[in-house]
Amino acid sequence: MTDTGSRIFSDAKLVVASHNQGKVTEICDLLEPLGITAISAAELGLPEPEETGSSFIENAELKARAAATASNLPALSDDSGLCVAALGNAPGIYSARWAGPDRDFAIAMQRVADALLLSGTKDRSAFFVCALSLAWPDGHIESFEGRVHGDILWPPRGDKGFGYDPIFRAQGHALSFGEMEPQDKHAISHRADAFAQLLTACFPVPS
Ligand code: IMP
């Protein structure tokens, strides 16, 4: 077995510490080949902690710790968002809040387009960030951050995926994330990047 210096995951079950169905679906798809039973925080009726951190990793860690403590099971959380260069990397950790109390992403995407128009710049570069944290009930935690770079499209394109997917196109691709088949997005996304790091560190293949 390769020694990665990280704690190896050896349980059969984990909690996906998210109430966002889009994220839960993507994480469960990524976990499926590992043969791990994943239960969402919503299914267990766990409360959603307030995201008071000042970085993606801080928010991911507080969500994973809260779910691991409440469920007494290992918990995997995801804190992610869209960073637009011309907007000083906003909405960033406030990506969900830009959608308002009803989590209306048509509004959030319009806010990005309006802010870009107001900025007066032609720079449309952006990236998605995903921080994944795996916390154990004894307090141990492992965290990883993944990114995918691309640009903002307007108007939105496609109705697949979730959140800001219809306005994001990854570098070197013709389709927006909203137009891509889930497996094609999974192959290149910020979440897949963070997940690959998590697998190397905590789920190494026995040699
Ligand atoms: P939070 O991590 O719960 O704070 O929410 C982050 C927000 O970022 C989500 O509600 C989505 O709107 C957005 N987001 C994160 N990952 C993705 C993605 O893969 N596609 C589209 N939007 C995303």
Side-chain angles (χ1 to χ4, degrees):
M1 183 102 53
T2 320
D3 183 6
T4 60
S6 303
R7 184 182 286 186
I8 307 303
F9 185 88
S10 54
D11 299 66
K13 216 174 177 181
L14 66 69
V15 178
V16 179
S18 177
H19 286 73
N20 175 329
Q21 194 47 49
K23 282 189 197 177
V24 172
T25 304
E26 289 198 4
I27 293 170
C28 288
D29 284 354
L30 290 163
L31 285 171
E32 203 196 279
L34 303 176
I36 294 167
T37 308
I39 323 153
S40 76
E43 277 174 88
L44 289 177
L46 303 183
E48 246 185 308
E50 219 190 311
E51 297 185 16
T52 52
S54 55
S55 68
F56 290 106
I57 294 247
E58 276 180 31
N59 281 334
E61 291 193 342
L62 68 86
K63 288 189 271 192
R65 280 206 170 96
T69 306
S71 65
N72 206 30
L73 287 168
L76 177 65
S77 72
D78 167 315
D79 196 70
S80 45
L82 177 68
C83 300
V84 182
L87 306 181
N89 290 343
I93 60 168
Y94 304 110
S95 293
R97 286 182 217 173
W98 276 36
D102 295 333
R103 293 286 180 263
D104 183 342
F105 281 91
I107 292 176
M109 291 189 285
Q110 186 68 58
R111 273 186 80 177
V112 170
D114 292 348
L116 273 175
L117 204 63
L118 258 176
S119 77
T121 162
K122 289 198 163 33
D123 180 9
R124 294 292 177 265
S125 55
F127 55 97
F128 269 122
V129 177
C130 172
L132 288 180
S133 293
L134 179 56
W136 279 262
D138 68 0
H140 185 84
I141 195 154
E142 302 280 348
S143 296
F144 308 89
E145 192 175 281
R147 289 186 179 199
V148 59
H149 289 268
D151 58 6
I152 299 295
L153 302 168
W154 196 258
R157 288 177 11 191
D159 55 9
K160 299 188 172 76
F162 66 98
Y164 297 90
D165 279 342
I167 59 167
F168 183 82
R169 175 176 55 190
Q171 243 166 37
H173 292 265
L175 300 181
S176 74
F177 270 4
E179 293 170 312
M180 279 186 166
E181 293 304 327
Q183 66 272 21
D184 296 333
K185 178 185 169 190
H186 289 175
I188 58 167
S189 76
H190 47 314
R191 197 158 288 107
D193 180 18
F195 205 77
Q197 297 174 49
L198 169 79
L199 286 189
T200 306
C202 303
F203 299 83
V205 181
S207 54

